Amino acid sequence: VSWSMAKSFTHALVGIGVADGRVDIDRPLSLVSRPDPGLTLRRLLNLTDGLDWHEASYEPEKSDAARMLYGPGRLDGASYTAAMHQAVKPGTRFNYSTGSFQLAAAELAVHLFPGLKDPAARRSAMADFIRRRLFQPLGMTTALAEFDAAGTFVGGSLVYASARDFARFGELYRQDGVVDGVRLLPEGWVKFARTPTVSPVYGAGFWLETSRLQPSPPQPLLRGHGPIDAFSAQGHQGQVILILPSRNAVVVRLGLAADDPAAWTELGGWLSQVVDAIDA
């Protein structure tokens, strides 16, 4: 299971919609009643939406992520997120949010399949789009995207695949959105993923490396000990797709680790050694 590596898949799917001319990431969201004009797909992908979301520690009494996935929001995660209060102006604050990408996946479906309301039909249409436009071109034969009861791709949390197939996805981004000589993602889309906004260690759907530690969390995965052009998809309990353009490599780590700063620091140290072993 990908856990939050799925956020990077949502970034890719939105990009395919942009390449098709069917998605405008700067249009105000249609799924939020009376939205701030600045609340757009771009802000969801940047995690700068400004919604009053509390990811917290996955404890049900503290965490909107836990409540969305397993509690009152489990049947319709996008609606759960869309009901959040606009705490600050979009684009002014980085706030890690699984709900942002669930809402982005639902908004993408509105762009791709306008007027399609039936949950089963929405699920079928989006599953077919993901399979035909992303998994099949990359040769991801084991990949499966999960959906909630509303027919929305669980775009912040749930893609299943083998390590090699996750690596195939990483290769798409290492190759600037091109697979087998064919451009899958629009020009500039990978640059968008790698361009920081409010946080120096987050772009759009991907975590970024920097040359030094930050004064406060979140921290770069390699803690300043790897190539600064590296970027990664990361998921709960230590799932990682680490993309290393200057090393011509992608490293995938799947496993089960504690989801606390100490465990991620240890994992980052181990990955730094793997990266150092790759001939530049």
Side-chain angles (χ1 to χ4, degrees):
V1 60
S2 67
W3 293 123
S4 286
M5 294 195 303
K7 294 176 173 67
S8 305
F9 282 79
T10 299
H11 178 269
L13 294 168
V14 173
I16 293 170
V18 169
D20 288 352
R22 299 161 71 184
V23 176
D24 178 358
I25 65 171
D26 293 311
R27 186 179 84 180
L29 298 185
S30 62
L31 295 176
V32 178
S33 61
R34 300 185 300 278
D36 185 299
L39 183 56
T40 62
L41 265 171
R42 181 185 298 274
R43 298 308 182 197
L44 294 178
L45 296 176
N46 282 146
L47 293 179
T48 60
D49 51 82
L51 295 175
D52 190 23
W53 178 274
H54 299 273
E55 190 84 3
S57 57
Y58 307 108
E59 299 173 38
E61 71 275 16
K62 299 178 181 178
S63 171
D64 283 314
R67 286 191 287 267
M68 183 188 73
L69 291 171
Y70 310 114
R74 69 192 184 281
L75 301 180
D76 189 347
S79 292
Y80 178 86
T81 306
M84 292 289 165
H85 170 68
Q86 188 73 52
V88 299
K89 185 176 178 60
T92 62
R93 179 189 72 178
F94 173 81
N95 182 42
Y96 190 78
S97 169
T98 296
S100 295
F101 278 83
Q102 181 82 353
L103 183 55
E107 187 73 17
L108 173 62
V110 171
H111 287 250
L112 295 178
F113 313 111
L116 193 58
K117 302 294 186 183
D118 177 71
R122 291 177 73 241
R123 175 181 180 138
S124 178
M126 182 56 80
D128 180 67
F129 178 82
I130 294 171
R131 183 172 53 252
R132 287 188 302 102
R133 302 300 304 280
L134 185 61
F135 292 164
Q136 288 181 352
L138 297 183
M140 296 181 65
T141 60
T142 68
L144 176 70
E146 187 58 275
F147 293 75
D148 67 14
T152 300
F153 166 47
V154 187
S157 307
L158 293 177
V159 173
Y160 299 89
S162 69
R164 289 185 183 276
D165 276 351
F166 281 130
R168 289 181 173 94
F169 177 76
E171 275 289 287
L172 173 66
Y173 277 80
R174 189 183 71 81
Q175 300 279 11
D176 192 37
V178 174
V179 57
D180 294 332
V182 176
R183 176 157 291 283
L184 196 63
L185 304 178
E187 289 276 2
W189 196 250
V190 174
K191 181 179 179 181
F192 171 44
R194 299 176 61 185
T195 302
T197 55
V198 177
S199 170
V201 297
Y202 201 83
F206 286 84
W207 294 94
L208 313 177
E209 292 303 310
T210 66
S211 59
R212 60 177 65 89
L213 293 180
Q214 302 306 301
S216 61
Q219 298 293 344
L221 177 63
L222 301 179
R223 300 317 198 257
H225 295 295
I228 61 172
D229 70 335
F231 59 112
S232 59
Q234 298 178 23
H236 179 55
Q237 297 182 319
Q239 320 318 315
V240 176
I241 304 170
L242 179 60
I243 302 158
L244 302 154
S246 61
R247 303 293 172 91
N248 292 319
V250 171
V251 177
V252 174
R253 187 271 183 185
L254 304 178
L256 183 63
D259 204 39
D260 56 46
W264 279 96
T265 297
E266 182 179 4
L267 177 57
W270 178 82
L271 284 167
S272 295
Q273 295 178 63
V274 174
V275 172
D276 287 344
I278 299 172
D279 188 349

